[in-house]
């Protein structure tokens, strides 16, 4: 069995997703910094978890070659 090219490509896509997400969240830090600390906590907790949602189909594609 030969290794699939999808795993290294998927790993690079995951890293790209993380970099883009961090850049987006960091660009909002000026706005979020003026909020009450509990709103900031909620914002960063949610954004810290939301980026995981696109990983399930990506990981499935890496393993099987199918998105669904």
């Amino acid at each position: 069995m030969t290794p699939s090219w999808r795993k290294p490509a998927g790993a690079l896509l995951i890293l790209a997703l993380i970099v883009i997400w961090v850049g987006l969240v960091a660009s909002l830090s000026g706005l979020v910094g003026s909020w009450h600390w509990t709103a900031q906590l909620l914002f960063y907790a949610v954004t810290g978890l939301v980026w995981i949602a696109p990983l399930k189909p990506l990981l499935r594609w890496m393993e099987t070659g199918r998105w669904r």
Side-chain angles (χ1 to χ4, degrees), residues 4-20 51 54-63 67:
S4 171
W5 62 272
R6 289 188 309 268
K7 290 191 180 185
L12 289 175
L13 284 171
I14 290 171
L15 289 175
L17 173 70
I18 292 170
V19 167
I20 291 168
W51 70 273
L55 289 183
K56 185 175 181 179
L58 180 58
L59 292 171
R60 185 179 308 120
W61 172 77
M62 287 169 61
E63 287 296 323
W67 289 103

Side-chain angles (χ1 to χ4, degrees), residues 9-32:
L12 289 175
L13 284 171
I14 290 171
L15 289 175
L17 173 70
I18 292 170
V19 167
I20 291 168
W21 190 251
V22 165
L24 177 68
V25 172
S27 70
L28 295 173
S29 67
L31 173 69
V32 175

